[in-house]
Amino acid sequence: MTTSSSNEAPPNCARHVAVIGGGLVGSLQACFLAEKGFEVELFEAKEDIRTRKYASGRSINLGLSHRGREALKLVGLEDEVIRNGAVPMHGRMIHSLSGKTSAQAYGKKGQNVLSMDRRRLNETLLTAAESYPNVKTHFRHKLVQAELDKGTIVILDRNTDREFTLRPDLIVGCDGVNSAMRAALFEYGLINYSQEYLTHGYMELHIPAKDGKFAMEANYLHVWPREPFTMIATPNPDGTFNCALFLPLEEFADIKIRGRQVCLEFFREHFPDAVTLIGEQELTESFIANRACKLMSIKCSPYHYKDKAVIIGDAAHAMVPFYGQGMNCGFEDCIVFSEALDKFDGDLAKVLPAFSEYRSPDAQAMCDLNLYNFKEMRSLVNSRWFLFRKYLDWFLQWLFPKRHIPLYTMVTFSRIRYGEVVRRWKRQTKIVNWTLFGMACLSVVVTGIFIRRFVNLE
């Protein structure tokens, strides 16, 4: 399937679309729909992020990779987004307990993930959406009710404290992890749903610039693997790093209760170089003042109700951040939905179920891979076996570039379907493991034969 570049809606396509949620995916989806000639109204419950002095909520930097870049490229935004504050990360920089560092490349030379500021990217996408004459944005407008059989939604205008009813041809829910549109689907359809909280949470910290420059090597995702917890840091254009500390929630609470000195001792024991980078006073003050946020993974299926409504992005598949694919997966949703519109000439009775059937298993596979990567980041990256397998994967890719592709490369630097990524990864792992086992057995047999002949000669 390919995305149409036509500015006219397909012949059977609905004309009026309500997009619920003006975050990253909602604003990009508005651009995709506007490109096809739909009349789009975007409703965001909060105030315009571009007018806020401080944007509440998550601020961990995003990792923009191939899938997300492809989506941005299709609406002509890739170059603008990259110019607007992207810092390339070529791999992981692993910080040992002794303070030594070692680099682990993401992939081939030239392959990188872009560290992006969430707010800046959201502002860029909203401005791009508003540049279309067929897009209207409404801030402080909250969805309070959806009668999907009738195809109507009730919106509360928080600016006037008045409600009004709208009957669009299609409702697209892009309203995040606590999605009101997903809740509406539950009321009207048979939705399979699972929600999993991790025992770990995360807290945001900050590494300042040193004399106006990066205090660490700039073009890496910095990782402090300390089973059962970890810390990561991503670069900003101004020379600072955004950090995220991942700990069991009980441990966060325990350290906070016991106070600043215990906090400082904890960091000195587990992240000694980070104490110097952040500063003792800034570190303890931030830890005590900041709250630990929960981590949650959500899966559901299907994503639609008849030809009336559909959910995409975090509303459909919230995932923990350990593979950096949450945003990229949501952006790829926009591509897949656009391709479905083209394939079925905009017939929503076919488009919506096709999108659900195609996308749900892939997003669920990615949710699982994120959980696997958390284990990798907090412990496996220190394993000699893990490093051996990583180098072996690169060697095998060099030998068989079309038949053996490392897991991270398939996820981050391709548009191979996530479900197919998992299948290929498991198959490749099985083949490599059996090959290594066979080689080990062969070496034992050869060694045994050699020893036996040597003994016989004696």
Side-chain angles (χ1 to χ4, degrees):
M1 293 185 286
T2 56
T3 302
S4 171
S5 59
S6 172
N7 284 332
E8 294 185 2
N12 298 323
C13 206
R15 297 291 304 177
H16 182 207
V17 181
V19 175
I20 309 300
L24 298 169
V25 175
S27 49
L28 181 62
Q29 178 71 332
C31 294
F32 267 85
L33 293 170
E35 283 279 329
K36 292 185 176 297
F38 293 107
E39 295 296 326
V40 181
E41 289 195 80
L42 185 150
F43 298 95
E44 168 55 45
K46 298 177 182 178
E47 66 268 30
D48 189 341
I49 194 172
R50 294 164 295 183
T51 65
R52 295 185 230 165
K53 291 183 179 179
Y54 173 74
S56 61
R58 298 170 295 172
S59 62
I60 295 177
N61 279 9
L62 303 161
L64 178 64
S65 54
H66 180 74
R67 297 172 197 267
R69 292 180 67 164
E70 284 295 297
L72 294 169
K73 184 188 297 184
L74 288 171
V75 290
L77 290 174
E78 183 187 22
D79 292 339
E80 180 182 351
V81 165
I82 293 174
R83 285 195 307 268
N84 197 18
V87 181
M89 299 183 294
H90 304 300
R92 298 169 178 162
M93 184 65 71
I94 308 301
H95 292 245
S96 70
L97 194 56
S98 66
K100 293 182 179 180
T101 58
S102 59
Q104 297 178 3
Y106 281 142
K108 299 177 183 178
K109 186 176 180 180
Q111 289 182 325
N112 57 64
V113 176
L114 299 175
S115 176
M116 302 288 305
D117 178 80
R118 180 184 296 271
R119 174 172 179 165
R120 187 176 299 180
L121 178 56
N122 200 171
E123 290 174 344
T124 300
L125 293 177
L126 282 170
T127 300
E130 289 180 340
S131 70
Y132 293 93
N134 49 331
V135 174
K136 295 180 181 179
T137 56
H138 307 275
F139 298 97
R140 291 177 54 80
H141 281 62
K142 180 181 179 181
L143 175 70
V144 294
Q145 186 180 351
E147 295 188 49
L148 298 185
D149 276 330
K150 298 178 181 178
T152 62
I153 53 176
V154 178
I155 302 291
L156 170 63
D157 181 350
R158 288 174 162 174
N159 301 298
T160 62
D161 204 29
R162 293 181 179 178
E163 295 182 353
F164 61 91
T165 300
L166 197 67
R167 189 173 183 175
D169 297 297
L170 173 65
I171 310 162
V172 182
C174 310
D175 49 342
V177 63
N178 298 309
S179 171
M181 273 303 303
R182 185 176 65 238
L185 289 183
F186 290 163
E187 293 183 22
Y188 285 87
L190 296 174
I191 307 294
N192 295 311
Y193 175 80
S194 69
Q195 175 177 301
E196 180 181 358
Y197 279 101
L198 271 66
T199 56
H200 287 64
Y202 74 92
M203 178 181 288
E204 297 172 14
L205 299 170
H206 183 75
I207 294 177
K210 185 177 181 180
D211 300 324
K213 298 180 181 179
F214 288 102
M216 304 182 293
E217 292 193 57
N219 300 115
Y220 288 92
L221 169 70
H222 290 261
V223 183
W224 288 259
R226 307 286 190 267
E227 176 69 27
F229 39 82
T230 189
M231 186 168 72
I232 64 172
T234 50
N236 297 308
D238 62 359
T240 63
F241 286 86
N242 282 4
C243 300
L245 172 65
F246 298 93
L247 284 178
L249 289 165
E250 290 182 357
E251 193 148 356
F252 271 123
D254 181 62
I255 295 173
K256 275 180 172 285
I257 290 172
R258 295 167 67 188
R260 297 189 179 190
Q261 187 57 38
V262 172
C263 170
L264 191 56
E265 290 172 359
F266 170 82
F267 274 88
R268 283 174 176 168
E269 179 182 357
H270 299 290
F271 309 101
D273 57 337
V275 176
T276 303
L277 291 165
I278 299 174
E280 292 185 1
Q281 182 175 348
E282 172 65 23
L283 175 59
T284 54
E285 288 181 355
S286 295
F287 191 94
I288 298 301
N290 291 352
R291 68 184 181 91
C293 301
K294 295 178 181 179
L295 292 166
M296 179 172 52
S297 179
I298 289 177
K299 303 175 186 176
C300 70
S301 177
Y303 295 155
H304 73 286
Y305 180 72
K306 295 183 178 179
D307 61 348
K308 304 293 186 182
V310 66
I311 53 176
I312 68 174
D314 281 356
H317 44 68
M319 53 190 67
V320 292
F322 303 115
Y323 230 119
Q325 284 297 299
M327 173 190 67
N328 292 287
C329 184
F331 282 5
E332 192 177 48
D333 285 350
C334 298
I335 300 178
V336 174
F337 190 80
S338 181
E339 290 172 342
L341 283 170
D342 292 341
K343 181 177 180 179
F344 297 105
D345 293 326
D347 183 350
L348 296 179
K350 296 178 180 178
V351 170
L352 270 57
F355 173 77
S356 283
E357 182 179 357
Y358 184 95
R359 196 60 177 160
S360 178
D362 288 337
Q364 292 184 31
M366 193 61 243
C367 285
D368 293 336
L369 279 175
N370 271 282
L371 294 172
Y372 164 80
N373 210 46
F374 183 34
K375 179 181 179 182
E376 180 176 303
M377 290 178 66
R378 71 180 194 247
S379 61
L380 294 183
V381 290
N382 282 328
S383 163
R384 290 183 179 180
W385 174 252
F386 170 81
L387 293 174
F388 168 74
R389 284 299 308 270
K390 194 173 185 69
Y391 291 129
L392 180 60
D393 274 341
W394 290 341
F395 176 68
L396 291 173
Q397 185 185 24
W398 177 74
L399 280 179
F400 313 106
K402 293 183 178 180
R403 301 191 66 179
H404 188 98
I405 306 175
L407 172 63
Y408 194 89
T409 299
M410 288 190 285
V411 170
T412 309
F413 302 119
S414 83
R415 278 206 60 214
I416 300 172
R417 292 182 62 178
Y418 290 125
E420 177 61 19
V421 165
V422 173
R423 287 188 289 273
R424 290 182 65 168
W425 171 51
K426 289 181 177 179
R427 185 170 63 248
Q428 289 175 179
T429 300
K430 186 179 294 186
I431 292 171
V432 171
N433 285 345
W434 276 108
T435 301
L436 291 174
F437 177 75
M439 291 173 65
C441 291
L442 181 62
S443 66
V444 170
V445 171
V446 170
T447 302
I449 293 172
F450 176 80
I451 292 173
R452 185 172 180 179
R453 287 185 178 180
F454 181 79
V455 170
N456 288 338
L457 287 174
E458 291 289 326

